[in-house]
Amino acid sequence: MQIEIDFNSDEALYIQLCNQIIYGIATRQFREGDSLPSVRQLAEMIGINMHTVNKAYAVLRQEGLLRLDRRAGAVIAVDIDKLKALDEMKDQLRLIIARGLCKGVSKEEVHRLVDQIFSDYE
């Protein structure tokens, strides 16, 4: 398991950790049913506070990406309803695309960018 935290970033550590785990799921580094390290183990591995790891795990649980099991710990459980996820993506993309249009980004450039991003996960 490779988690990289940028301690010089303005982004909160727990958000960085969440994002790293999400990227791990998207790139199949983590699969359905995989157990993540305990809060204590992961905190020691990457040199952050246990409360930070706990907060990240709680956020991922709330988003439907983890389930917390007394015996197995944090387990990858991708149970997000696809339609809900698509609606959330549409809302986020609408604003991102509007900002790009304001700066002259074309539809073709957006399509190329999306294709490029998807290829990163294949």
Side-chain angles (χ1 to χ4, degrees):
M1 172 179 194
Q2 184 173 347
I3 301 284
E4 295 178 14
I5 299 297
D6 180 359
F7 293 99
N8 296 317
S9 172
D10 291 336
E11 189 171 47
L13 296 177
Y14 82 95
I15 292 174
Q16 289 186 55
L17 180 54
C18 285
N19 291 343
Q20 290 288 310
I21 293 170
I22 289 168
Y23 289 135
I25 293 168
T27 59
R28 294 183 170 82
Q29 179 184 356
F30 308 125
R31 297 184 183 270
E32 182 80 23
D34 285 353
S35 290
L36 295 177
S38 72
V39 169
R40 182 182 307 272
Q41 289 172 326
L42 188 54
E44 288 176 7
M45 282 172 50
I46 56 181
I48 61 176
N49 189 292
M50 286 178 21
H51 296 294
T52 303
V53 176
N54 200 37
K55 185 170 184 176
Y57 280 5
V59 168
L60 292 169
R61 185 181 144 276
Q62 190 173 32
E63 290 183 12
L65 298 172
L66 286 184
R67 69 180 162 79
L68 302 177
D69 182 282
R70 285 191 184 271
R71 285 176 262 154
V75 178
I76 302 297
V78 184
D79 63 3
I80 292 179
D81 175 20
K82 185 176 181 177
L83 293 176
K84 180 181 175 192
L86 285 170
D87 281 344
E88 290 172 2
M89 287 175 67
K90 185 178 7 174
D91 289 343
Q92 293 172 6
L93 282 170
R94 185 171 277 131
L95 180 58
I96 291 168
I97 289 172
R99 285 184 173 151
L101 290 172
C102 289
K103 296 188 180 209
V105 175
S106 71
K107 183 177 180 179
E108 293 76 23
E109 290 170 314
V110 170
H111 283 281
R112 280 196 303 272
L113 183 60
V114 169
D115 287 342
Q116 178 186 0
I117 291 169
F118 267 96
S119 71
D120 290 345
Y121 295 104
E122 298 176 328

